[in-house]
Amino acid sequence: MMNDDPIHVARPPQMPASDRVNPYTAPVQPPLLPVAHADPFQVTADDRTMGMLVHLLALLTGFLGTLILWLVKKDTSRFVDFHGKEAINFQITLLIYVFSLMAFGIVTMGAGMLIAVPLIIVLSIAAFVFELMACLAANRGEWHRYPMTIRLIK
């Protein structure tokens, strides 16, 4: 019968020093090779959702919601970065147009308001349609650009 005393237990033979693995060093990984057929403009489902949400937030919250989502997600995807810039540029352009029309109405002592107010209403309807078109295009994975937009953020 064998003795289970730890002093008398047979030890396994030692491995040569060249075959021992150092537990404190990380295993060496082979370098990643670039894939020749990878598409840098490939759009994932998450990218499409975030792109659509950027334009949808422009409809619901205006400039602020779009800006916050773009600042959070712009470094994760080129698609979201592109659509965020487009949505913010469109919102800034709308503000410029509306403030210009209001200034025109005020400078003309109210007579210009007969022109400015209907133009602002038409502009808001067109903005709604353009934002819906951009939202649907982003959901399809398309790189959509707004018409009549001053591109301040590039």
Side-chain angles (χ1 to χ4, degrees):
M1 204 149 128
M2 293 189 68
N3 189 358
D4 289 331
D5 188 20
I7 298 173
H8 300 294
V9 173
R11 297 180 191 232
Q14 290 290 325
M15 293 174 36
S18 62
D19 292 342
R20 287 190 211 145
V21 176
N22 187 350
Y24 300 106
T25 60
V28 178
Q29 296 289 331
L32 294 175
L33 299 175
V35 179
H37 64 280
D39 183 12
F41 297 104
Q42 184 178 7
V43 180
T44 64
D46 186 45
D47 293 342
R48 290 194 320 255
T49 303
M50 285 298 144
M52 182 185 67
L53 193 57
V54 165
H55 297 292
L56 192 60
L57 280 175
L59 280 173
L60 301 176
T61 64
F63 182 79
L64 188 61
T66 303
L67 179 65
I68 291 171
L69 185 62
W70 175 67
L71 287 174
V72 170
K73 291 291 188 175
K74 71 178 181 175
D75 296 328
T76 60
S77 168
R78 289 182 68 169
F79 187 76
V80 177
D81 183 41
F82 173 81
H83 279 280
K85 287 178 187 176
E86 281 296 309
I88 290 171
N89 283 332
F90 186 67
Q91 292 295 318
I92 291 171
T93 303
L94 284 178
L95 286 175
I96 291 171
Y97 291 161
V98 169
F99 284 142
S100 299
L101 286 170
M102 293 302 290
F104 171 73
I106 291 171
V107 167
T108 58
M109 307 238 181
M113 285 295 187
L114 295 174
I115 297 170
V117 170
L119 282 178
I120 290 174
I121 292 171
V122 168
L123 186 65
S124 61
I125 292 170
F128 180 77
V129 170
F130 290 152
E131 287 171 355
L132 276 180
M133 288 171 52
C135 183
L136 294 173
N139 192 31
R140 288 189 302 265
E142 299 172 2
W143 300 75
H144 179 79
R145 293 185 76 111
Y146 285 102
M148 300 181 299
T149 300
I150 303 168
R151 290 184 172 70
L152 300 170
I153 301 173
K154 297 185 184 203

